[in-house]
Amino acid sequence: KPQRSYNISDDSQLKMGDYFDAAAQLYGLTKPQRISRAQAQSELPAMQLSFMSESRRLVNTRMKRELRLRLLYSQVQDGLEAQN
């Protein structure tokens, strides 16, 4: 539809930290350290903290219905494994 914007996402419901853990495990890396929100506020740069604070879960129903997109990898794990 004209003048419409779309957020494109897969079907998974992973939180950001869970994504990083899955990628680290798949590639044989050490999982990143988890820190509390208070610790993040005192240690992270303002831009990174802003990005993490604005992170949202997306629903991709409109993307699939209106754009008729079919996902090659509907889950994060599937995409990561395919690239390995």
Side-chain angles (χ1 to χ4, degrees):
K1 296 182 179 183
Q3 304 297 318
R4 193 104 161 179
S5 63
Y6 294 86
N7 291 307
I8 304 300
S9 67
D10 63 13
D11 294 333
S12 64
Q13 295 295 314
L14 287 180
K15 293 182 179 180
M16 189 182 314
D18 296 331
Y19 167 77
F20 291 133
D21 287 349
Q25 181 176 352
L26 181 66
Y27 294 110
L29 303 170
T30 303
K31 290 182 181 181
Q33 178 186 359
R34 301 279 181 113
I35 61 174
S36 68
R37 182 174 296 275
Q39 191 176 358
Q41 289 173 334
S42 68
E43 294 180 16
L44 296 179
M47 184 152 315
Q48 186 175 6
L49 191 59
S50 173
F51 171 77
M52 293 175 73
S53 296
E54 292 299 321
S55 182
R56 301 279 189 259
R57 290 187 182 185
L58 301 174
V59 176
N60 62 12
T61 305
R62 198 174 89 191
M63 169 196 86
K64 291 177 181 178
R65 186 181 61 239
E66 293 182 13
L67 299 179
R68 297 187 180 120
L69 292 180
R70 297 187 72 219
L71 300 172
L72 183 59
Y73 307 111
S74 63
Q75 299 294 316
V76 167
Q77 192 69 28
D78 300 334
L80 288 172
E81 290 174 0
Q83 301 305 312
N84 191 11

